[in-house]
Amino acid sequence: MSLWLSALILYEAQRQRQLAGMYSRETSLLSEQEQQQWLFEGGYPVLAEVAKRKGLPRPYINAQGQIEAEESWWAQMQLTEKMKKRQLG
Protein backbone atom coordinates (compact mmCIF):
# COMPACT_ATOMS: atom_id res chain seq x y z
CA MET A 1 0.00 0.00 0.00
CA SER A 2 1.39 3.38 -0.88
CA LEU A 3 2.15 6.04 1.70
CA TRP A 4 -0.40 8.31 0.03
CA LEU A 5 -3.18 5.74 0.38
CA SER A 6 -2.28 5.06 4.01
CA ALA A 7 -2.41 8.79 4.76
CA LEU A 8 -5.80 9.07 3.05
CA ILE A 9 -7.24 6.18 5.07
CA LEU A 10 -5.98 7.67 8.35
CA TYR A 11 -7.36 11.09 7.43
CA GLU A 12 -10.78 9.63 6.63
CA ALA A 13 -10.86 7.66 9.89
CA GLN A 14 -10.01 10.82 11.83
CA ARG A 15 -12.65 12.83 9.95
CA GLN A 16 -15.35 10.27 10.71
CA ARG A 17 -14.40 10.11 14.39
CA GLN A 18 -14.45 13.87 14.62
CA LEU A 19 -17.92 14.01 13.04
CA ALA A 20 -19.09 11.39 15.54
CA GLY A 21 -17.88 13.59 18.42
CA MET A 22 -15.22 11.14 19.55
CA TYR A 23 -12.60 13.85 20.05
CA SER A 24 -14.78 16.34 21.92
CA ARG A 25 -15.74 14.24 24.94
CA GLU A 26 -15.20 15.79 28.34
CA THR A 27 -14.86 12.39 29.99
CA SER A 28 -13.40 9.11 28.85
CA LEU A 29 -15.45 6.03 28.10
CA LEU A 30 -12.90 4.13 30.19
CA SER A 31 -13.06 4.11 33.98
CA GLU A 32 -10.18 5.70 35.91
CA GLN A 33 -8.96 2.19 36.81
CA GLU A 34 -8.98 1.11 33.15
CA GLN A 35 -7.17 4.28 32.12
CA GLN A 36 -4.47 3.69 34.74
CA GLN A 37 -4.07 0.08 33.63
CA TRP A 38 -3.63 1.10 29.98
CA LEU A 39 -1.23 3.91 30.89
CA PHE A 40 0.99 1.70 33.06
CA GLU A 41 0.96 -1.45 30.93
CA GLY A 42 1.27 0.45 27.65
CA GLY A 43 3.71 3.11 28.80
CA TYR A 44 5.90 0.98 31.03
CA PRO A 45 5.56 -2.62 29.78
CA VAL A 46 8.75 -3.90 31.43
CA LEU A 47 7.93 -2.34 34.81
CA ALA A 48 4.34 -3.60 34.51
CA GLU A 49 5.57 -7.16 33.98
CA VAL A 50 7.95 -6.96 36.96
CA ALA A 51 5.25 -5.49 39.21
CA LYS A 52 2.81 -8.20 38.14
CA ARG A 53 5.37 -10.95 38.72
CA LYS A 54 6.14 -9.57 42.19
CA GLY A 55 2.46 -9.10 43.05
CA LEU A 56 2.81 -5.34 43.48
CA PRO A 57 -0.07 -2.94 42.87
CA ARG A 58 -0.07 -0.69 39.83
CA PRO A 59 1.30 2.77 40.65
CA TYR A 60 -0.54 5.95 39.71
CA ILE A 61 0.38 7.52 36.34
CA ASN A 62 -0.02 11.30 36.49
CA ALA A 63 -1.14 13.69 33.75
CA GLN A 64 2.45 14.02 32.49
CA GLY A 65 2.74 10.23 32.15
CA GLN A 66 5.12 9.87 35.08
CA ILE A 67 4.87 7.15 37.71
CA GLU A 68 3.91 8.36 41.17
CA ALA A 69 4.77 5.64 43.66
CA GLU A 70 5.92 5.35 47.26
CA GLU A 71 9.59 4.72 47.97
CA SER A 72 8.61 1.28 49.29
CA TRP A 73 7.13 0.37 45.89
CA TRP A 74 10.36 1.36 44.13
CA ALA A 75 12.39 -0.57 46.73
CA GLN A 76 10.32 -3.71 46.11
CA MET A 77 10.69 -3.27 42.35
CA GLN A 78 14.48 -3.16 42.72
CA LEU A 79 14.67 -6.05 45.18
CA THR A 80 16.10 -9.18 43.61
CA GLU A 81 15.37 -12.72 44.80
CA LYS A 82 18.93 -12.98 46.09
CA MET A 83 18.51 -9.77 48.12
CA LYS A 84 15.13 -10.97 49.41
CA LYS A 85 16.63 -14.25 50.65
CA ARG A 86 19.45 -12.34 52.32
CA GLN A 87 16.95 -10.15 54.18
CA LEU A 88 14.91 -13.14 55.35
CA GLY A 89 17.82 -15.34 56.36
Side-chain angles (χ1 to χ4, degrees):
M1 186 180 319
S2 74
L3 183 59
W4 179 86
L5 184 56
S6 296
L8 180 64
I9 291 169
L10 290 173
Y11 169 77
E12 181 59 22
Q14 180 185 17
R15 188 186 72 77
Q16 290 178 17
R17 289 176 178 205
Q18 194 163 18
L19 288 173
M22 296 178 79
Y23 295 130
S24 60
R25 290 193 176 107
E26 291 188 25
T27 59
S28 175
L29 295 176
L30 299 175
S31 69
E32 177 69 19
Q33 183 179 2
E34 290 171 315
Q35 290 177 48
Q36 286 294 314
Q37 180 179 352
W38 277 90
L39 289 169
F40 185 52
E41 292 177 2
Y44 300 93
V46 174
L47 293 179
E49 181 60 36
V50 172
K52 184 177 181 179
R53 188 177 63 232
K54 292 184 174 199
L56 297 174
R58 269 192 317 273
Y60 178 75
I61 308 299
N62 66 24
Q64 288 75 40
Q66 301 296 314
I67 294 175
E68 291 183 8
E70 301 286 329
E71 287 297 322
S72 60
W73 186 87
W74 287 109
Q76 287 296 313
M77 287 292 286
Q78 295 173 350
L79 192 64
T80 64
E81 287 299 316
K82 190 174 185 179
M83 293 167 69
K84 193 184 235 183
K85 287 178 185 176
R86 212 178 300 151
Q87 284 182 348
L88 296 174

